[in-house]
Amino acid sequence: MHHIAFGMVDKNAVDRAAGILQSKGVRIIEPPGYLDEAGAGYGLRFIDPENRVIELSAWVEVQTSIWSKKNVDPVKLNHVVMNTKNLDMIVEFYTDVLGFKVTDWSEHQMSFLRCNRKHHSIAFNQDEHASVNHIAYEVDSVDELMRGISNVRKAGLSELWGPGRHGPGDNIFCYFQDPGGFVMEYTCYLETIEDESEWRARVWKRVPHLMDQWGIAGPPKPEARKAMGGDPDPGWVDSHIEGSVMAKK
């Protein structure tokens, strides 16, 4: 995985974040500056304790061209789920250093973290290695989600897990595996936190009727769990820089 980007309010917020990260000993690999990439913007990049590259950015360009409607229109990237070797350590970093809040736990196997009113923007799953678990795209309705399943089937593929409705997050889901091996999810109706002052993190049992409240999909099958395990990802290593420098020389 190249990096995960989280939006900031403006340039000043990015600069303040840089100061906070430095004060906490977090390694910044790209200091605050204007981004030389598609979408531009202003941001910084640092590495988390498992060597994932995380970007904090603002002023990224907004797409203003006319959207050509299709029968399924993903609205946005809803959330990402990462596998981790140390659940407690990584949750502590994202809450104590980055300011995320724990919304819910799935026993001591998964932790769902939020940075806005949505139930989770990122979640971590305990596994044998760090890797990508899945990436979820939001659609407007269950009708679009079901049409999405039809589109996938017409393309000669099949769903990996779902459709169903999760307990944590209360969202409707269906998972697929893309040609690169990554697991993708269509989702809608993710729970929102209406009153921050009243919310207390819950601990959900890992039982079939809470993995899928409808009882249609049930728990993920072995092939789905294997796909979500992903390949071990060492993340950012200094050899990336050295290799790039040597290539330029």
Side-chain angles (χ1 to χ4, degrees):
M1 183 185 66
H2 191 276
H3 72 278
I4 301 173
F6 294 100
M8 304 292 281
V9 174
D10 55 24
K11 175 180 180 293
N12 292 333
V14 174
D15 291 337
R16 286 196 301 273
I20 294 170
L21 292 171
Q22 289 174 332
S23 71
K24 294 180 178 290
V26 176
R27 184 181 175 191
I28 296 176
I29 56 174
E30 291 186 22
Y34 292 97
L35 302 174
D36 183 19
E37 61 182 17
Y42 182 91
L44 63 83
R45 288 177 181 171
F46 63 92
I47 53 174
D48 78 4
E50 289 185 306
N51 279 336
R52 298 178 192 86
V53 177
I54 306 298
E55 176 184 293
L56 303 178
S57 54
W59 298 347
V60 176
E61 293 175 2
V62 176
Q63 179 60 260
T64 57
S65 62
I66 298 174
W67 179 257
S68 178
K69 291 289 288 182
K70 304 180 295 298
N71 73 333
V72 177
D73 288 315
V75 177
K76 61 184 176 182
L77 177 63
N78 184 280
H79 63 266
V80 294
V81 176
M82 308 301 298
N83 296 315
T84 177
K85 291 182 65 175
N86 190 329
L87 185 62
D88 291 329
M89 176 273 294
I90 205 68
V91 169
E92 181 179 0
F93 176 83
Y94 276 77
T95 54
D96 291 356
V97 177
L98 298 187
F100 282 71
K101 295 180 180 179
V102 175
T103 306
D104 280 329
W105 294 85
S106 178
E107 295 188 3
H108 195 248
Q109 179 66 35
M110 290 187 70
S111 184
F112 301 87
L113 308 178
R114 69 185 187 277
C115 57
N116 49 44
R117 289 177 60 208
K118 291 291 187 180
H119 181 274
H120 58 285
S121 294
I122 191 168
F124 290 95
N125 175 65
Q126 180 69 51
D127 209 331
E128 296 178 354
H129 53 251
S131 61
V132 178
N133 185 287
H134 71 270
I135 301 167
Y137 296 99
E138 183 175 329
V139 293
D140 272 333
S141 67
V142 64
D143 289 333
E144 288 217 351
L145 188 146
M146 297 304 287
R147 285 196 295 267
I149 296 174
S150 175
N151 290 344
V152 170
R153 289 178 177 179
K154 288 175 182 176
L157 305 172
S158 61
E159 52 271 30
L160 186 66
W161 181 31
R165 188 159 201 161
H166 286 313
D170 198 35
N171 51 312
I172 297 173
F173 68 86
C174 194
Y175 294 79
F176 312 91
Q177 192 169 17
D178 75 9
F182 290 98
V183 177
M184 303 294 163
E185 176 189 359
Y186 272 148
T187 192
C188 60
Y189 307 155
L190 182 69
E191 184 175 13
T192 58
I193 309 307
E194 300 300 333
D195 188 344
E196 283 282 355
S197 65
E198 295 294 326
W199 188 265
R200 299 293 181 271
R202 303 162 294 188
V203 179
W204 294 77
K205 293 284 188 182
R206 293 181 64 80
V207 292
H209 73 276
L210 294 180
M211 293 181 183
D212 170 26
Q213 298 182 70
W214 291 344
I216 299 172
K221 293 179 173 59
E223 56 267 30
R225 292 192 183 278
K226 181 179 179 181
M228 291 181 188
D231 295 327
D233 187 353
W236 174 273
V237 289
D238 288 334
S239 61
H240 290 168
I241 303 176
E242 294 167 2
S244 175
V245 172
M246 290 301 294
K248 290 178 181 177
K249 289 181 179 178

